[in-house]
PDB file of all heavy atoms in Angstrom:
ATOM      1  N   MET A 264       0.816  -1.131  -0.011  1.00  0.00           N
ATOM      2  CA  MET A 264      -0.030   0.071  -0.032  1.00  0.00           C
ATOM      3  C   MET A 264       0.926   1.259   0.010  1.00  0.00           C
ATOM      4  O   MET A 264       1.827   1.308   0.760  1.00  0.00           O
ATOM      5  CB  MET A 264      -0.892   0.007   1.242  1.00  0.00           C
ATOM      6  CG  MET A 264      -2.036  -1.025   1.271  1.00  0.00           C
ATOM      7  SD  MET A 264      -3.279  -0.814   0.058  1.00  0.00           S
ATOM      8  CE  MET A 264      -4.584  -0.084   1.020  1.00  0.00           C
ATOM      9  N   THR A 265       0.488   2.156  -0.772  1.00  0.00           N
ATOM     10  CA  THR A 265       1.133   3.510  -0.823  1.00  0.00           C
ATOM     11  C   THR A 265       0.419   4.423   0.177  1.00  0.00           C
ATOM     12  O   THR A 265      -0.807   4.381   0.235  1.00  0.00           O
ATOM     13  CB  THR A 265       1.096   4.168  -2.292  1.00  0.00           C
ATOM     14  OG1 THR A 265       1.654   3.203  -3.164  1.00  0.00           O
ATOM     15  CG2 THR A 265       1.724   5.453  -2.344  1.00  0.00           C
ATOM     16  N   LYS A 266       1.154   5.214   0.806  1.00  0.00           N
ATOM     17  CA  LYS A 266       0.658   6.199   1.836  1.00  0.00           C
ATOM     18  C   LYS A 266       1.016   7.637   1.350  1.00  0.00           C
ATOM     19  O   LYS A 266       2.184   7.877   1.056  1.00  0.00           O
ATOM     20  CB  LYS A 266       1.070   6.001   3.238  1.00  0.00           C
ATOM     21  CG  LYS A 266       0.578   4.692   3.802  1.00  0.00           C
ATOM     22  CD  LYS A 266       1.130   4.446   5.206  1.00  0.00           C
ATOM     23  CE  LYS A 266       0.584   3.179   5.649  1.00  0.00           C
ATOM     24  NZ  LYS A 266       1.071   2.930   7.154  1.00  0.00           N
ATOM     25  N   VAL A 267       0.072   8.510   1.413  1.00  0.00           N
ATOM     26  CA  VAL A 267       0.320   9.982   1.158  1.00  0.00           C
ATOM     27  C   VAL A 267      -0.280  10.771   2.292  1.00  0.00           C
ATOM     28  O   VAL A 267      -1.452  10.489   2.736  1.00  0.00           O
ATOM     29  CB  VAL A 267      -0.258  10.408  -0.232  1.00  0.00           C
ATOM     30  CG1 VAL A 267      -0.099  11.939  -0.355  1.00  0.00           C
ATOM     31  CG2 VAL A 267       0.492   9.678  -1.315  1.00  0.00           C
ATOM     32  N   LEU A 345      -8.726   8.606 -11.457  1.00  0.00           N
ATOM     33  CA  LEU A 345      -7.319   8.628 -10.651  1.00  0.00           C
ATOM     34  C   LEU A 345      -6.613   7.228 -10.755  1.00  0.00           C
ATOM     35  O   LEU A 345      -7.380   6.195 -10.776  1.00  0.00           O
ATOM     36  CB  LEU A 345      -7.607   9.013  -9.156  1.00  0.00           C
ATOM     37  CG  LEU A 345      -8.180  10.471  -8.998  1.00  0.00           C
ATOM     38  CD1 LEU A 345      -8.374  10.666  -7.615  1.00  0.00           C
ATOM     39  CD2 LEU A 345      -7.201  11.471  -9.626  1.00  0.00           C
ATOM     40  N   PRO A 346      -5.395   7.211 -10.812  1.00  0.00           N
ATOM     41  CA  PRO A 346      -4.560   5.971 -10.939  1.00  0.00           C
ATOM     42  C   PRO A 346      -4.414   5.240  -9.686  1.00  0.00           C
ATOM     43  O   PRO A 346      -3.302   4.830  -9.254  1.00  0.00           O
ATOM     44  CB  PRO A 346      -3.233   6.466 -11.467  1.00  0.00           C
ATOM     45  CG  PRO A 346      -3.053   7.814 -10.842  1.00  0.00           C
ATOM     46  CD  PRO A 346      -4.450   8.392 -10.811  1.00  0.00           C
ATOM     47  N   VAL A 347      -5.583   4.928  -8.898  1.00  0.00           N
ATOM     48  CA  VAL A 347      -5.526   4.378  -7.643  1.00  0.00           C
ATOM     49  C   VAL A 347      -6.535   3.229  -7.475  1.00  0.00           C
ATOM     50  O   VAL A 347      -7.623   3.385  -8.279  1.00  0.00           O
ATOM     51  CB  VAL A 347      -5.609   5.341  -6.490  1.00  0.00           C
ATOM     52  CG1 VAL A 347      -4.552   6.383  -6.475  1.00  0.00           C
ATOM     53  CG2 VAL A 347      -6.910   6.050  -6.515  1.00  0.00           C
ATOM     54  N   ALA A 348      -6.368   2.242  -6.658  1.00  0.00           N
ATOM     55  CA  ALA A 348      -7.341   1.316  -6.256  1.00  0.00           C
ATOM     56  C   ALA A 348      -7.309   1.162  -4.822  1.00  0.00           C
ATOM     57  O   ALA A 348      -6.336   1.378  -4.118  1.00  0.00           O
ATOM     58  CB  ALA A 348      -7.114   0.014  -7.027  1.00  0.00           C
ATOM     59  N   ASN A 349      -8.428   0.683  -4.155  1.00  0.00           N
ATOM     60  CA  ASN A 349      -8.526   0.406  -2.747  1.00  0.00           C
ATOM     61  C   ASN A 349      -8.078   1.727  -1.961  1.00  0.00           C
ATOM     62  O   ASN A 349      -7.408   1.631  -0.995  1.00  0.00           O
ATOM     63  CB  ASN A 349      -7.618  -0.758  -2.283  1.00  0.00           C
ATOM     64  CG  ASN A 349      -8.163  -2.002  -3.030  1.00  0.00           C
ATOM     65  OD1 ASN A 349      -9.368  -2.280  -3.131  1.00  0.00           O
ATOM     66  ND2 ASN A 349      -7.242  -2.721  -3.604  1.00  0.00           N
ATOM     67  N   TYR A 350      -8.492   2.859  -2.395  1.00  0.00           N
ATOM     68  CA  TYR A 350      -8.090   4.182  -1.838  1.00  0.00           C
ATOM     69  C   TYR A 350      -9.114   4.544  -0.655  1.00  0.00           C
ATOM     70  O   TYR A 350     -10.231   4.506  -0.787  1.00  0.00           O
ATOM     71  CB  TYR A 350      -8.291   5.241  -2.967  1.00  0.00           C
ATOM     72  CG  TYR A 350      -8.049   6.686  -2.446  1.00  0.00           C
ATOM     73  CD1 TYR A 350      -6.794   7.354  -2.764  1.00  0.00           C
ATOM     74  CD2 TYR A 350      -9.059   7.417  -1.816  1.00  0.00           C
ATOM     75  CE1 TYR A 350      -6.571   8.571  -2.438  1.00  0.00           C
ATOM     76  CE2 TYR A 350      -8.828   8.704  -1.517  1.00  0.00           C
ATOM     77  CZ  TYR A 350      -7.640   9.321  -1.755  1.00  0.00           C
ATOM     78  OH  TYR A 350      -7.434  10.663  -1.422  1.00  0.00           O
ATOM     79  N   GLU A 372      -4.296   5.912   1.962  1.00  0.00           N
ATOM     80  CA  GLU A 372      -3.569   4.642   1.634  1.00  0.00           C
ATOM     81  C   GLU A 372      -4.298   4.058   0.373  1.00  0.00           C
ATOM     82  O   GLU A 372      -5.567   4.159   0.344  1.00  0.00           O
ATOM     83  CB  GLU A 372      -3.674   3.677   2.761  1.00  0.00           C
ATOM     84  CG  GLU A 372      -2.874   3.949   3.978  1.00  0.00           C
ATOM     85  CD  GLU A 372      -2.855   2.803   4.931  1.00  0.00           C
ATOM     86  OE1 GLU A 372      -3.399   1.716   4.750  1.00  0.00           O
ATOM     87  OE2 GLU A 372      -2.161   2.977   5.943  1.00  0.00           O
ATOM     88  N   PHE A 373      -3.463   3.503  -0.522  1.00  0.00           N
ATOM     89  CA  PHE A 373      -4.140   3.095  -1.710  1.00  0.00           C
ATOM     90  C   PHE A 373      -3.038   2.240  -2.439  1.00  0.00           C
ATOM     91  O   PHE A 373      -1.910   2.189  -2.095  1.00  0.00           O
ATOM     92  CB  PHE A 373      -4.481   4.252  -2.664  1.00  0.00           C
ATOM     93  CG  PHE A 373      -3.383   5.168  -3.004  1.00  0.00           C
ATOM     94  CD1 PHE A 373      -2.544   5.014  -4.056  1.00  0.00           C
ATOM     95  CD2 PHE A 373      -3.252   6.281  -2.158  1.00  0.00           C
ATOM     96  CE1 PHE A 373      -1.543   5.905  -4.272  1.00  0.00           C
ATOM     97  CE2 PHE A 373      -2.215   7.213  -2.446  1.00  0.00           C
ATOM     98  CZ  PHE A 373      -1.359   7.038  -3.515  1.00  0.00           C
ATOM     99  N   GLU A 374      -3.513   1.559  -3.574  1.00  0.00           N
ATOM    100  CA  GLU A 374      -2.666   0.780  -4.414  1.00  0.00           C
ATOM    101  C   GLU A 374      -2.595   1.566  -5.697  1.00  0.00           C
ATOM    102  O   GLU A 374      -3.614   2.079  -6.160  1.00  0.00           O
ATOM    103  CB  GLU A 374      -3.111  -0.589  -4.668  1.00  0.00           C
ATOM    104  CG  GLU A 374      -3.117  -1.503  -3.445  1.00  0.00           C
ATOM    105  CD  GLU A 374      -3.926  -2.744  -3.523  1.00  0.00           C
ATOM    106  OE1 GLU A 374      -4.150  -3.163  -4.714  1.00  0.00           O
ATOM    107  OE2 GLU A 374      -4.261  -3.389  -2.525  1.00  0.00           O
ATOM    108  N   ALA A 375      -1.429   1.676  -6.303  1.00  0.00           N
ATOM    109  CA  ALA A 375      -1.309   2.248  -7.613  1.00  0.00           C
ATOM    110  C   ALA A 375      -2.059   1.403  -8.681  1.00  0.00           C
ATOM    111  O   ALA A 375      -2.107   0.142  -8.628  1.00  0.00           O
ATOM    112  CB  ALA A 375       0.084   2.508  -8.057  1.00  0.00           C
ATOM    113  N   ALA A 376      -2.769   1.967  -9.590  1.00  0.00           N
ATOM    114  CA  ALA A 376      -3.468   1.304 -10.745  1.00  0.00           C
ATOM    115  C   ALA A 376      -3.390   2.052 -12.015  1.00  0.00           C
ATOM    116  O   ALA A 376      -3.833   3.147 -12.123  1.00  0.00           O
ATOM    117  CB  ALA A 376      -4.942   1.175 -10.314  1.00  0.00           C
ATOM    118  N   GLY A 377      -2.657   1.455 -13.019  1.00  0.00           N
ATOM    119  CA  GLY A 377      -2.517   2.091 -14.276  1.00  0.00           C
ATOM    120  C   GLY A 377      -1.414   3.128 -14.309  1.00  0.00           C
ATOM    121  O   GLY A 377      -1.319   3.876 -15.214  1.00  0.00           O
ATOM    122  N   ALA A 378      -0.671   3.121 -13.132  1.00  0.00           N
ATOM    123  CA  ALA A 378       0.570   4.133 -13.062  1.00  0.00           C
ATOM    124  C   ALA A 378       1.532   3.534 -12.079  1.00  0.00           C
ATOM    125  O   ALA A 378       1.181   2.709 -11.273  1.00  0.00           O
ATOM    126  CB  ALA A 378       0.090   5.471 -12.585  1.00  0.00           C
ATOM    127  N   THR A 379       2.731   4.005 -12.121  1.00  0.00           N
ATOM    128  CA  THR A 379       3.730   3.649 -11.103  1.00  0.00           C
ATOM    129  C   THR A 379       3.202   4.132  -9.723  1.00  0.00           C
ATOM    130  O   THR A 379       2.413   5.055  -9.509  1.00  0.00           O
ATOM    131  CB  THR A 379       5.151   4.161 -11.301  1.00  0.00           C
ATOM    132  OG1 THR A 379       5.130   5.611 -11.177  1.00  0.00           O
ATOM    133  CG2 THR A 379       5.560   3.853 -12.783  1.00  0.00           C
ATOM    134  N   GLU A 380       3.724   3.514  -8.645  1.00  0.00           N
ATOM    135  CA  GLU A 380       3.390   4.008  -7.293  1.00  0.00           C
ATOM    136  C   GLU A 380       3.856   5.491  -7.153  1.00  0.00           C
ATOM    137  O   GLU A 380       3.073   6.232  -6.587  1.00  0.00           O
ATOM    138  CB  GLU A 380       4.177   3.088  -6.349  1.00  0.00           C
ATOM    139  CG  GLU A 380       3.868   3.338  -4.886  1.00  0.00           C
ATOM    140  CD  GLU A 380       4.556   2.328  -3.984  1.00  0.00           C
ATOM    141  OE1 GLU A 380       4.327   1.134  -4.110  1.00  0.00           O
ATOM    142  OE2 GLU A 380       5.122   2.813  -2.956  1.00  0.00           O
ATOM    143  N   SER A 381       4.978   5.799  -7.615  1.00  0.00           N
ATOM    144  CA  SER A 381       5.443   7.172  -7.516  1.00  0.00           C
ATOM    145  C   SER A 381       4.558   8.200  -8.210  1.00  0.00           C
ATOM    146  O   SER A 381       4.140   9.251  -7.687  1.00  0.00           O
ATOM    147  CB  SER A 381       6.826   7.349  -8.027  1.00  0.00           C
ATOM    148  OG  SER A 381       7.261   8.697  -8.021  1.00  0.00           O
ATOM    149  N   ASP A 382       4.141   7.901  -9.468  1.00  0.00           N
ATOM    150  CA  ASP A 382       3.200   8.677 -10.199  1.00  0.00           C
ATOM    151  C   ASP A 382       1.784   8.816  -9.545  1.00  0.00           C
ATOM    152  O   ASP A 382       1.169   9.887  -9.517  1.00  0.00           O
ATOM    153  CB  ASP A 382       3.082   8.221 -11.733  1.00  0.00           C
ATOM    154  CG  ASP A 382       4.318   8.492 -12.497  1.00  0.00           C
ATOM    155  OD1 ASP A 382       5.169   9.253 -12.060  1.00  0.00           O
ATOM    156  OD2 ASP A 382       4.344   7.917 -13.575  1.00  0.00           O
ATOM    157  N   ALA A 383       1.296   7.722  -9.032  1.00  0.00           N
ATOM    158  CA  ALA A 383       0.030   7.668  -8.281  1.00  0.00           C
ATOM    159  C   ALA A 383       0.174   8.669  -7.149  1.00  0.00           C
ATOM    160  O   ALA A 383      -0.734   9.444  -6.817  1.00  0.00           O
ATOM    161  CB  ALA A 383      -0.361   6.420  -7.923  1.00  0.00           C
ATOM    162  N   ALA A 384       1.202   8.511  -6.274  1.00  0.00           N
ATOM    163  CA  ALA A 384       1.365   9.319  -5.119  1.00  0.00           C
ATOM    164  C   ALA A 384       1.484  10.727  -5.486  1.00  0.00           C
ATOM    165  O   ALA A 384       0.964  11.598  -4.766  1.00  0.00           O
ATOM    166  CB  ALA A 384       2.648   8.824  -4.275  1.00  0.00           C
ATOM    167  N   THR A 385       2.235  11.031  -6.599  1.00  0.00           N
ATOM    168  CA  THR A 385       2.359  12.456  -6.957  1.00  0.00           C
ATOM    169  C   THR A 385       1.014  13.046  -7.344  1.00  0.00           C
ATOM    170  O   THR A 385       0.643  14.222  -7.089  1.00  0.00           O
ATOM    171  CB  THR A 385       3.351  12.494  -8.195  1.00  0.00           C
ATOM    172  OG1 THR A 385       4.600  12.054  -7.766  1.00  0.00           O
ATOM    173  CG2 THR A 385       3.491  13.914  -8.761  1.00  0.00           C
ATOM    174  N   ALA A 386       0.209  12.271  -8.074  1.00  0.00           N
ATOM    175  CA  ALA A 386      -1.127  12.721  -8.381  1.00  0.00           C
ATOM    176  C   ALA A 386      -2.019  13.039  -7.245  1.00  0.00           C
ATOM    177  O   ALA A 386      -2.685  14.123  -7.084  1.00  0.00           O
ATOM    178  CB  ALA A 386      -1.770  11.720  -9.284  1.00  0.00           C
ATOM    179  N   ILE A 387      -1.946  12.115  -6.256  1.00  0.00           N
ATOM    180  CA  ILE A 387      -2.736  12.279  -4.983  1.00  0.00           C
ATOM    181  C   ILE A 387      -2.223  13.520  -4.260  1.00  0.00           C
ATOM    182  O   ILE A 387      -3.039  14.361  -3.732  1.00  0.00           O
ATOM    183  CB  ILE A 387      -2.753  11.058  -4.150  1.00  0.00           C
ATOM    184  CG1 ILE A 387      -3.522   9.838  -4.916  1.00  0.00           C
ATOM    185  CG2 ILE A 387      -3.458  11.346  -2.855  1.00  0.00           C
ATOM    186  CD1 ILE A 387      -4.944  10.135  -5.343  1.00  0.00           C
TER     187      ILE A 387
END
Side-chain angles (χ1 to χ4, degrees):
M264 292 290 260
T265 302
K266 295 181 181 182
V267 172
L345 298 174
V347 298
N349 302 313
Y350 175 100
E372 289 187 2
F373 55 87
E374 296 171 18
T379 66
E380 187 173 307
S381 175
D382 287 347
T385 297
I387 296 302

